[in-house]
Amino acid sequence: MHRRPEEECVPPLVAEATLPPDLAAKAEATARRLVLAIRAKPRGGGVEELIHEYSLSGREGVALMCLAEALLRIPDDDTRDALIRDKVAAGDWRSHLGPGRSLFVNAATWGLMVTGKLTAETTDRGLSAALTRLIARGGEPVIRAAVDMAMRMMGEQFVTGRTIEEALDNSREREERGFRYSYDMLGEAAVTAEDAARYFAAYEGAIEAIGRSAMRAATGEGIHQRAGISIKLSALHPRYARAQADRVASELLPRLRALALLARRHDIGFNIDAEEADRLDLSLDLLEAICLEPGLAGWHGIGFVVQAYGKRCPAVIDFLVDLARRSGHRLMVRLVKGAYWDSEIKRAQVDGLPGFPVYTRKIYTDVAYIACARRLLAAGDAVFPQFATHNAQTLAAIEALAGDAFTPDRYEFQCLHGMGEPLYEEVVDPEGLNRPCRIYAPVGTHETLLPYLVRRLLENGANSSFVNRISDEDIAVDDLVADPAGLARAIQPLGAPHPLIRLPRDLYGESRRNSEGVDLSNERRLAELAQGLAASATETWIAGEGGTGREVVNPADHRDVVGTVFDATPESAAACVERAKAASARWAATAPSARAAMLRRAADLLQAAMPRLAGLIVREGGRTVANAIGEVREAIDFLRYYGGQAETLLEGKAHRPLGPVVCISPWNFPLAIFTGQIAAALAAGNTVLAKPAEETPLIG
């Protein structure tokens, strides 16, 4: 189900997410009541108002994202300064100032406006002149400090505390009002072993602190009512990827087991967080190992996060229910809508994969969420459902499906700290829905916050986000409470993908077809690739002819003789020159469209030979499999690109080729760049003398 077309996977989900008429009416009434209650409240300020003020559909909202990315991704100050000047100076920050906005929005805007003044060329007097003098004295670091301060102000709204102790203290007031907590120690994937050790220690300390706090509270509540912790597996190992599955099993699993046993000792919830789609199988393998761990037998504190935007989500839920029953655990399953949509779409396009692992329309994610929620509610013996959503309609649909019979350990809702709290105050209110809500509470300093902040802004800053839309009085209540299954059904044909999001093969539009990659996280694709690589290793590779041959060995393993090469002599090279000269007139007279057709045919042949060529690049070039696949794909793209250029620029036009052209392969791109040189020369009507690199003659 990983990359099934939406036309196949959406229709059954729409059927599953369609509520009977009586439940649909109840859900709509509840959603309407919640929306009206939220809109009747004074705007609370903080991040929700900031997200509404700086929608990602506007230039300033995009600028905020660029600033966050600048601080997060760019290692050198000069490049940071250039991006800050580019994105901030042009922003119309002044239009976001004024009465009716919260102090938080105004403060953040002043910081950005001041930074804009510092970076824009302006003739304004007064403040501008003073700021110009300031930057003359302070230089570019002043700009970075101002941007850093503005981003920090936004970021801290999302953090419960800088340390776990501070977060526990800050959470007490809401706990007394009926909220539960799950703490997340902020930080991205580990890059080094030192990173992983630091994150492990942070998780260990957090579990101990949460456990002590729960012991002090001594309320007698069950594990589903107590605070818990969320664990990010990629933080516990610097090589958390399918290519390193053996290391993950031997090195990461013991760390995960140790943390789970510690959580059991304190009897607090232990949730494995969601990550990118290509890590899902690894995460499920580790979860299964933990569930079958004898030391955790009979304990119901193990949890797993599932993302509804993933096409595999229904199957993952079925797997979790089965695993729970096999292992004797009642698993906590947190259903979220998904946090990596942009990168999943872009990665599939860049890697040339058969399709997307996520839906291209948000409405399909909303439909999938309700369908998956229905499955979780139907398996209450095996799972404790945790519904994480800020959408009042989604929440109301789940409440209707669950029915009126309720106990505190049947299910719970969840929200993010700093997000959706006006909605959930209505949910936990004894006079309202009177249902439990757990707050997902990030813990960390602003340095660890930025990646998390970027994801939250991307999730909730888009026009399609409920958090954004509910603050917009121009959007009717009817639109906010509309049934997603009905909205999806109105899209014809049912399950049609978003027309503006190109499938990977169509990335370049009509100009040329994208090269096809290999999904290196898919076990079936890996098995097929392995067969091709093995076959490649059995071939007798020979380059050149005549003279004395020399062996070519694998630079990563000198025992592996890849093939034999016969180097050219001055006489054979001279003969090649004469052949190239003799063929020049005939090739120059070949129509550009005919040349283009040959180049495209060559691209198709390379595509078909992908495993064979990748195997040779791995062995002779000393490359990784992923790198070798990228090399073949780049060669294919060059052939198709220059074929298109020949037709576009030369067909029907007079042009005079240069004659024989020498193309010399670089050793580090022995197929791609070499093919690109040759394809460009041939497309222009030249004959080619091609000289492979001495280090990689077999590939050449």
Side-chain angles (χ1 to χ4, degrees):
M1 295 177 66
H2 193 182
R3 301 180 190 276
R4 280 179 69 191
E6 285 165 290
E7 300 92 330
E8 292 180 19
C9 54
V10 169
L13 290 175
V14 171
E16 198 170 352
T18 300
L19 277 59
D22 57 329
L23 293 184
K26 180 183 178 185
E28 183 181 340
T30 300
R32 189 177 297 275
R33 190 169 73 248
L34 290 169
V35 169
L36 291 173
I38 295 168
R39 284 192 165 176
K41 294 180 180 181
R43 216 179 256 179
V47 170
E48 288 193 31
E49 186 173 351
L50 192 80
I51 283 172
H52 176 64
E53 187 68 37
Y54 295 110
S55 165
L56 290 182
S57 62
R59 183 173 61 183
E60 290 77 34
V62 174
L64 289 181
M65 294 300 301
C66 290
L67 293 182
E69 284 292 303
L71 292 176
L72 173 65
R73 307 292 181 199
I74 299 174
D76 65 290
D77 290 342
D78 289 345
T79 310
R80 286 189 182 196
D81 292 342
L83 185 59
I84 289 167
R85 284 193 297 273
D86 178 53
K87 297 303 176 186
V88 177
D92 183 16
W93 307 107
R94 188 184 297 277
S95 66
H96 298 279
L97 278 170
R101 273 107 174 170
S102 73
L103 176 64
F104 175 67
V105 169
N106 274 333
T109 298
W110 270 113
L112 291 162
M113 193 177 82
V114 166
T115 308
K117 287 288 185 183
L118 289 171
T119 58
E121 290 186 10
T122 176
T123 57
D124 291 351
R125 300 187 178 184
L127 176 62
S128 174
L131 293 174
T132 302
R133 288 194 300 273
L134 177 62
I135 190 171
R137 292 199 306 270
E140 299 293 357
V142 173
I143 301 176
R144 291 195 302 276
V147 173
D148 184 65
M149 185 176 297
M151 296 307 299
R152 192 181 313 192
M153 287 177 63
M154 284 183 274
E156 287 177 353
Q157 301 297 309
F158 280 113
V159 175
T160 317
R162 288 166 295 181
T163 64
I164 186 63
E165 289 78 14
E166 186 176 275
L168 289 166
D169 288 340
N170 292 340
S171 303
R172 290 203 175 98
E173 179 195 350
R174 286 192 176 274
E175 283 181 323
E176 291 169 2
R177 291 163 54 193
F179 285 92
R180 305 165 180 177
Y181 274 83
S182 179
Y183 296 95
D184 172 37
M185 307 308 291
L186 279 177
E188 291 303 282
V191 177
T192 65
E194 290 78 12
D195 289 341
R198 187 172 66 254
Y199 286 131
F200 179 83
Y203 285 137
E204 226 176 15
I207 293 170
E208 294 279 9
I210 297 166
R212 288 193 300 270
S213 177
M215 189 178 298
R216 282 197 301 270
T219 58
E221 296 174 330
I223 193 167
H224 296 140
Q225 285 79 49
R226 289 197 207 100
I229 190 166
S230 290
I231 301 293
K232 192 175 180 70
L233 293 175
S234 58
L236 292 173
H237 199 280
R239 296 293 179 267
Y240 187 54
R242 172 60 184 82
Q244 298 293 332
D246 291 344
R247 283 188 63 191
V248 167
S250 63
E251 298 172 13
L252 195 159
L253 181 57
R255 299 170 196 171
L256 185 63
R257 184 186 295 116
L259 293 174
L261 289 168
L262 183 61
R264 175 174 193 167
R265 199 169 81 220
H266 290 286
D267 202 25
I268 66 169
F270 182 79
N271 254 51
I272 295 175
D273 226 334
E275 306 209 36
E276 295 86 350
D278 59 3
R279 289 170 163 165
L280 177 60
D281 284 356
L282 272 183
S283 296
L284 290 173
D285 288 344
L286 292 169
L287 173 69
E288 186 168 34
I290 288 296
C291 286
L292 300 176
E293 166 64 35
L296 298 172
W299 181 55
H300 302 309
I302 302 172
F304 194 79
V305 180
V306 188
Q307 302 183 99
Y309 71 7
K311 293 175 180 175
R312 291 178 289 178
C313 185
V316 171
I317 286 174
D318 292 345
F319 171 83
L320 295 176
V321 170
D322 175 70
L323 175 61
R325 289 173 177 155
R326 281 190 288 118
S327 62
H329 296 279
R330 188 183 181 210
L331 293 177
M332 297 182 290
V333 179
R334 177 189 297 158
L335 183 64
V336 303
K337 292 198 174 174
Y340 303 93
W341 184 88
D342 302 73
S343 59
E344 297 289 8
I345 293 289
K346 184 51 61 181
R347 182 181 292 115
Q349 289 177 329
V350 169
D351 291 348
L353 300 180
F356 300 120
V358 296
Y359 305 109
T360 57
R361 295 183 191 261
K362 186 175 185 305
I363 195 66
Y364 295 162
T365 296
D366 292 341
V367 167
Y369 193 98
I370 294 173
C372 293
R374 203 168 192 169
R375 295 191 187 199
L376 290 172
L377 288 169
D381 63 307
V383 297
F384 173 64
Q386 301 170 311
F387 300 114
T389 176
H390 298 136
N391 187 313
Q393 194 286 328
T394 304
L395 186 152
I398 291 168
E399 203 261 345
L401 283 168
D404 296 328
F406 178 78
T407 56
D409 65 347
R410 186 168 176 218
Y411 68 89
E412 70 180 18
F413 291 106
Q414 294 194 356
C415 69
L416 293 166
H417 171 80
M419 299 288 300
E421 287 164 1
L423 169 62
Y424 280 101
E425 285 168 357
E426 297 293 322
V427 171
V428 301
D429 188 344
E431 303 301 318
L433 289 185
N434 195 24
R435 295 290 185 265
C437 173
R438 185 178 302 274
I439 297 174
Y440 181 87
V443 180
T445 61
H446 83 282
E447 289 87 357
T448 60
L449 172 72
L450 277 174
Y452 176 81
L453 172 63
V454 169
R455 286 201 297 275
R456 295 293 83 85
L457 288 174
L458 282 171
E459 280 179 274
N460 298 293
N463 282 343
S464 57
S465 159
F466 186 88
V467 169
N468 198 337
R469 296 172 77 223
I470 197 169
S471 301
D472 189 345
E473 298 289 347
D474 292 333
I475 297 178
V477 174
D478 287 348
D479 293 335
L480 293 172
V481 302
D483 172 28
L487 295 173
R489 204 176 285 111
I491 298 169
Q492 292 298 321
L494 185 58
H498 197 294
L500 298 181
I501 300 175
R502 291 175 174 170
L503 283 169
R505 67 171 178 269
D506 301 323
L507 182 60
Y508 304 114
E510 296 182 1
S511 63
R512 71 181 192 275
R513 192 168 81 253
N514 191 13
S515 58
E516 297 169 24
V518 178
D519 184 353
L520 296 178
S521 66
N522 183 302
E523 296 301 324
R524 186 175 298 175
R525 300 285 87 78
L526 285 172
E528 293 169 355
L529 178 63
Q531 289 182 340
L533 295 177
S536 175
T538 64
E539 285 196 52
T540 302
W541 296 94
I542 298 175
E545 56 187 19
T548 304
R550 59 181 172 86
E551 288 185 339
V552 177
V553 298
N554 183 338
D557 181 359
H558 288 185
R559 297 167 300 177
D560 178 18
V561 178
V562 184
T564 305
V565 61
F566 296 90
D567 292 320
T569 63
E571 293 76 20
S572 63
C576 288
V577 171
E578 292 307 315
R579 285 165 57 193
K581 287 179 180 178
S584 282
R586 180 164 49 88
W587 183 245
T590 304
S593 58
R595 299 176 207 153
M598 293 183 208
L599 293 176
R600 292 193 183 103
R601 174 63 179 151
D604 293 342
L605 291 170
L606 285 189
Q607 186 74 68
M610 169 86 76
R612 179 170 174 255
L613 290 169
L616 179 57
I617 292 168
V618 167
R619 294 174 64 219
E620 186 186 24
R623 309 283 277 278
T624 65
V625 172
N627 202 271
I629 289 170
E631 174 97 1
V632 180
R633 289 189 62 222
E634 190 175 351
I636 294 166
D637 285 334
F638 272 130
L639 287 162
R640 289 178 179 158
Y641 173 78
Y642 284 118
Q645 292 289 293
E647 286 184 324
T648 303
L649 301 178
L650 303 179
E651 186 68 23
K653 299 172 185 175
H655 67 285
R656 188 173 66 184
L658 300 174
V661 169
V662 177
C663 295
I664 301 175
S665 169
W667 68 267
N668 54 341
F669 291 100
L671 180 66
I673 302 301
F674 199 26
T675 301
Q677 294 177 47
I678 296 168
L682 292 174
N686 304 297
T687 51
V688 173
L689 286 153
K691 179 192 177 298
E694 292 179 20
E695 295 85 352
T696 51
L698 300 177
I699 297 167

